[in-house]
Amino acid sequence: MHVSHLSLADFRSYARAEVPLDPGVTAFVGPNGQGKTNLVEAIGYLATLGSHRVSADAPLVRMGAERAVIRAAVTQGERQQLVELELNPGRANRARINRSSQVRPRDVLGIVRTVLFAPEDLALVKGDPGERRRFLDELVTARSPRMAAVRSDYERVLKQRNTLLKSAAMARRHGGRSMDLSTLDVWDQHLARVGAEMLSQRLDLIATLLPLADKAYEQLAPGGGPLGVAYKSSAGEPVDSGAARTREALYEVLLGSLAEVRKQEIERGVTLVGPHRDDMVLRLGELPAKGYASHGESWSYALALRLASYDLLRSEGSEPVLILDDVFAELDARRRERLAELVAPGEQVLVTAAVDDDVPGVLVGTRFAVSGGEVTRL
């Protein structure tokens, strides 16, 4: 699979942009702040319905514009599709496939698949649990686009349950009558049911991903491993046992844990158990990577997770677009060459760099100069 054409309207710094793309390696080269990352960010948005740089859509719309449009022609074998997203901050986004009638934005998931590595990915190792949860859930959805609906259902149930708990907490603090919390049992069941589906997918992903990540790390930093990845659940240890990996068993674990913490939840007015509070614990050798890995080791670990994601998606379907956003400048010469050799055979590899020298020589392909919002093929 590869993106053969990218069109932007009022996206980030671009009033308009038309960028034809080829299979193989394409490098966007230009000084910082000229719009290189904006181009690959747009392609990444089509794949995940989110940006790797910001959590909201408003910054993606050009100053003074009401909406932004991302459109891409996608080629997979003999099949071609045109996918379009219209971003409307404060209102519902819109989507089209092959210029047909409007579809839900999540219906475009799976048409474009990407694996994107950027400086922000250092947070996978050094950052908060939310970064690692996002990594897991985006990869789960890339493997199975239907999981976008499951994640949406979970967020809806969580919001409703938190609203009920907050109201109960406020009533208690202000000495009012105790609320009728009989409906909380129903929300517990909903949360446990949808949460079990998410947990099952995450646990399966980690088990599948770990050997691939360990292999990728050895290729990037020989002799530096092994890697270890464990799932830390807010529902306690049983969720990690082999016997608790079925959805029904996970449902029972979550339901039981919610019952155990109900008193604390009512006091605090927030849901304390569920996938939204879990973490992926990364180890390097015998030590936790967070807090112990060096800067270079942390970079290699994050890269290994992305390369493992790429290998996994490639083994399960069409090859994703591999995006390396300003990565090579952050790596030493040895890791830079090793990474370039690993990614060079990809069906489509998109690279951004401030100067030509930051693009390793093995990555031969198309070059675009990006300056002042203009994208020029060299």
Side-chain angles (χ1 to χ4, degrees):
M1 186 214 78
H2 69 276
V3 176
S4 57
H5 195 95
L6 174 67
S7 300
L8 301 179
D10 292 323
F11 182 85
R12 288 284 195 182
S13 58
Y14 293 98
R16 292 287 186 274
E18 299 290 338
V19 186
L21 295 168
D22 300 320
V25 177
T26 297
F28 300 99
V29 181
N32 292 331
Q34 300 302 303
K36 304 182 302 296
T37 294
N38 298 346
L39 298 172
V40 295
E41 180 183 28
I43 294 174
Y45 193 102
L46 290 174
T48 64
L49 301 183
S51 163
H52 69 288
R53 301 158 78 191
V54 294
S55 59
D57 286 347
L60 306 180
V61 179
R62 190 172 65 91
M63 186 68 70
E66 293 184 359
R67 63 185 64 84
V69 176
I70 307 170
R71 185 182 299 112
V74 183
T75 300
Q76 183 173 345
E78 298 298 320
R79 185 183 184 190
Q80 292 189 337
Q81 288 183 283
L82 185 68
V83 56
E84 176 182 313
L85 284 175
E86 180 182 287
L87 312 186
N88 298 291
R91 294 173 290 136
N93 292 341
R94 298 179 179 179
R96 292 182 185 275
I97 299 173
N98 293 331
R99 300 189 186 278
S100 65
S101 58
Q102 186 175 321
V103 297
R104 296 170 302 179
R106 70 180 185 222
D107 291 334
V108 309
L109 291 171
I111 297 176
V112 179
R113 299 208 302 175
T114 64
V115 171
L116 188 153
F117 185 76
E120 290 83 357
D121 276 344
L122 199 59
L124 286 176
V125 180
K126 294 188 173 184
D128 295 331
E131 300 289 343
R132 291 177 286 278
R133 290 194 295 266
R134 177 181 173 183
F135 166 79
L136 288 173
D137 290 339
E138 286 187 350
L139 186 51
V140 160
T141 304
R143 295 178 79 191
S144 178
R146 71 173 184 84
M147 288 301 297
V150 175
R151 291 166 61 188
S152 179
D153 287 346
Y154 184 83
E155 291 168 3
R156 177 183 56 81
V157 171
L158 180 63
K159 182 178 180 180
Q160 293 285 349
R161 192 174 186 276
N162 279 342
T163 298
L164 181 59
L165 288 170
K166 185 176 180 180
S167 297
M170 291 292 291
R172 171 172 292 196
R173 289 170 193 160
H174 291 86
R177 291 188 305 171
S178 297
M179 291 183 57
D180 180 8
L181 295 175
S182 58
T183 56
L184 195 56
D185 290 334
V186 177
W187 288 115
D188 284 0
Q189 293 172 23
H190 287 324
L191 190 82
R193 185 66 64 191
V194 185
E197 176 74 4
M198 292 177 64
L199 277 176
S200 176
Q201 293 289 332
R202 286 182 182 179
L203 291 170
D204 177 70
L205 172 61
I206 288 174
T208 307
L209 195 67
L210 178 56
L212 298 174
D214 199 42
K215 177 184 175 183
Y217 191 88
E218 177 64 22
Q219 292 172 318
L220 291 167
L227 303 188
V229 180
Y231 192 82
K232 183 179 179 181
S233 172
S234 55
E237 284 300 317
V239 78
D240 287 324
S241 68
R245 287 181 182 269
T246 66
R247 291 186 183 89
E248 194 58 39
L250 291 170
Y251 167 77
E252 295 296 337
V253 168
L254 284 171
L255 200 59
S257 296
L258 287 168
E260 290 176 6
V261 300
R262 175 172 288 191
K263 182 179 179 181
Q264 297 98 298
E265 289 186 329
I266 292 173
E267 290 173 350
R268 296 174 59 178
V270 67
T271 301
L272 298 176
V273 169
H276 65 289
R277 296 182 70 91
D278 295 352
D279 195 5
M280 179 173 64
V281 180
L282 307 177
R283 300 184 68 85
L284 183 59
E286 298 299 318
L287 297 172
K290 184 177 181 179
Y292 289 89
S294 69
H295 185 73
E297 288 170 335
S298 297
W299 266 105
S300 295
Y301 207 132
L303 267 172
L305 290 172
R306 291 301 188 188
L307 289 173
S309 304
Y310 178 68
D311 288 340
L312 176 61
L313 294 177
R314 183 168 52 178
S315 70
E316 294 182 342
S318 62
E319 187 167 337
V321 177
L322 183 59
I323 300 173
L324 302 173
D325 180 26
D326 200 23
V327 169
F328 290 107
E330 300 286 344
L331 301 175
D332 59 37
R334 183 187 67 172
R335 287 186 173 92
R336 182 184 299 191
E337 293 305 319
R338 287 185 181 276
L339 175 60
E341 291 169 0
L342 289 172
V343 305
E347 181 175 348
Q348 186 169 49
V349 182
L350 305 180
V351 179
T352 70
V355 295
D356 277 320
D357 289 345
D358 284 343
V359 183
V362 69
L363 296 179
V364 178
T366 306
R367 292 287 191 276
F368 286 92
V370 183
S371 179
E374 296 293 327
V375 184
T376 306
R377 188 165 185 157
L378 302 177

